[in-house]
Amino acid sequence: MSAIPRFDRAPRRIYWEVTRACDLACRHCRAEAAPERDPAELDAPEGLRLIAELAGFGSPLPHLILTGGDPLKRKDLFALIASARGRGFGVSVAPSATPLLTAEVIARLKAVGVEAVSLSLDGSDAVRHDALRRIDGCFYRTLVAARACTAVGLPFQVNTLASEETLDDLPQIYRLATDLGSARWSLFFLVAVGRGSVLKPITAEACERLFERLLDLGTDDGPIITTTEAPHFRRVVLERARRAGRGLASPAQGSMGHGAGIRDGSGIMFISHTGEVHPSGFLPLSAGDVRTADPVVLYRDSELFRTLRRSELLTGRCGGCEYAGPCGGSRARAFTATGDPMAEDPLCLYKSAPNAA
Ligand code: SF4
């Protein structure tokens, strides 16, 4: 296995929750979004200052993902994007499929240099998707937005929840993402935070079977398949590649090339709407606040982030696992299950052979 990046100096991706305001009311919303903006969220001058401070990571700059809530609920969204682009950041946006996401807005996102958007599809038809999103018409609007992205040449990623409620529909959603021309299909493995606690996570056994199916699903024509809060997909990818005696070539195996070593706090940094710096959007421990501290220093030097990046401090089955470098388990799920962010990830059943690490 080639050397695993340690991400000590800078994250690969910064997620900034620019607002918690959103006109949807999704059953599994991490942010517990509400229709109105929180008066305590970072305002326009604070947002511009944050972008300037994040540029202190230096070259190569992390990729900046503006998420929410719905970023389109911020009137200064395009000013923030322009500032970030002007400082050299690659920028993606994660809008909600509401009437705010028009073809004109998508064309404008492309025109200001946004590299990609993400669109959520949690069902392969309107009945299944809209039941989770709790707004009629959301499925249809997502398809329209995907086609508008294609029309202007703006790459898009489809995000899909992996939970008991969606498990049997995932192959159909993959086919739909492929037909729409999605560049990437990102499966989010439910961590019970925010409103996500009302849904049911899949079991570790079902997760293992799903990973094998994902590798079978991947085709040269389909989107790259990646996972969020399930880094042990990389272990399954590596195991299969080794069994086959070959390298990592297919699109389904792309998560290895893009994600090795990335997990909560290692390669990922999340900034909340009020400026709290977390290791991810699903791990509610805070390293500090960008209103009172430099976010670069918080990422590089806070005890929380430094600890999370040290695979050798992992415990349980993740401790001593030979895949701790490329994988390391979901620190958010470990924390939710045990209160200890360095504990084993209960969604993974893998047990290393003695002395395998
Ligand atoms: S035991 Fe932990 S580190 Fe090893 S593959 Fe599973 S989640 Fe990853």
Side-chain angles (χ1 to χ4, degrees):
M1 193 186 307
S2 56
I4 304 299
R6 284 188 54 97
F7 301 112
D8 285 341
R9 302 296 298 162
R12 174 81 56 84
R13 298 193 289 266
I14 299 170
Y15 294 85
W16 176 18
E17 177 189 64
V18 292
T19 183
R20 279 197 168 177
C22 181
D23 293 330
L24 300 182
C26 304
R27 286 182 65 197
H28 51 293
C29 182
R30 166 197 55 75
E32 301 186 75
E36 301 306 323
R37 288 174 64 182
D38 182 345
E41 82 182 21
L42 297 180
D43 63 19
E46 288 173 319
L48 294 172
R49 193 180 72 221
L50 171 61
I51 291 166
E53 288 180 339
L54 292 174
F57 277 118
S59 180
L61 284 173
H63 189 81
L64 185 61
I65 297 125
L66 304 180
T67 183
D70 181 3
L72 294 174
K73 293 284 276 185
R74 274 192 80 128
K75 295 207 177 345
D76 60 345
L77 176 66
F78 284 92
L80 296 175
I81 295 170
S83 170
R85 293 289 299 128
R87 292 184 181 276
F89 284 97
V91 178
S92 297
V93 179
S96 302
T98 76
L100 296 176
L101 187 60
T102 62
E104 292 72 26
V105 163
I106 287 169
R108 201 172 158 204
L109 289 170
K110 169 73 178 172
V112 296
V114 167
E115 291 181 7
V117 297
S118 57
L119 302 169
S120 292
L121 266 179
D122 295 321
S124 62
D125 60 40
V127 172
R128 295 188 71 138
H129 179 84
D130 292 354
L132 275 170
R133 298 279 152 186
R134 296 199 298 192
I135 300 276
D136 286 347
C138 188
F139 177 78
Y140 173 72
R141 261 195 293 276
T142 303
L143 300 195
V144 170
R147 289 176 185 129
C149 288
T150 301
V152 297
L154 178 58
F156 67 93
Q157 156 177 324
V158 166
N159 292 343
T160 298
L161 174 73
S163 72
E164 282 291 344
E165 289 81 357
T166 63
L167 192 57
D168 67 317
D169 198 26
L170 294 178
Q172 292 83 283
I173 298 173
Y174 172 78
R175 276 194 285 281
L176 179 56
T178 303
D179 292 346
L180 288 169
S182 169
R184 188 178 290 251
W185 187 41
S186 178
L187 280 163
F188 164 61
F189 287 74
L190 185 71
V191 178
V193 296
R195 287 199 289 261
S197 49
V198 302
L199 298 183
K200 213 170 158 208
I202 62 172
T203 64
E205 291 80 2
C207 185
E208 202 76 14
R209 288 193 297 273
L210 173 60
F211 284 164
E212 294 291 345
R213 279 168 68 202
L214 292 179
L215 287 175
D216 292 337
L217 271 179
T219 67
D220 289 339
D221 299 331
I224 291 172
I225 300 173
T226 61
T227 59
T228 298
E229 299 301 348
H232 55 302
F233 183 45
R234 298 169 200 152
R235 184 253 303 162
V236 176
V237 170
L238 283 167
E239 286 180 317
R240 180 168 303 190
R242 281 183 181 149
R243 279 200 304 273
R246 58 176 157 70
L248 302 167
S250 79
Q253 294 169 350
S255 67
M256 271 309 301
H258 294 278
I262 296 180
R263 59 176 181 269
D264 310 315
S266 175
I268 293 177
M269 172 182 185
F270 179 90
I271 301 165
S272 81
H273 69 302
T274 57
E276 292 288 327
V277 174
H278 302 284
S280 80
F282 308 97
L283 180 44
L285 297 173
S286 173
D289 173 354
V290 302
R291 284 185 164 120
T292 56
D294 182 339
V296 174
V297 173
L298 293 178
Y299 178 84
R300 287 181 180 163
D301 299 332
S302 66
E303 189 180 345
L304 173 63
F305 276 76
R306 288 170 74 98
T307 300
L308 286 167
R309 287 197 289 270
R310 292 182 60 190
S311 304
E312 70 275 18
L313 298 182
L314 295 171
T315 62
R317 276 178 288 104
C318 293
C321 174
E322 69 265 40
Y323 295 103
C327 169
S330 164
R331 300 299 95 223
R333 183 173 298 101
F335 178 76
T336 301
T338 69
D340 176 4
M342 302 307 281
E344 68 188 24
D345 180 348
L347 195 62
C348 178
L349 288 175
Y350 187 72
K351 201 164 182 331
S352 292
N355 304 319

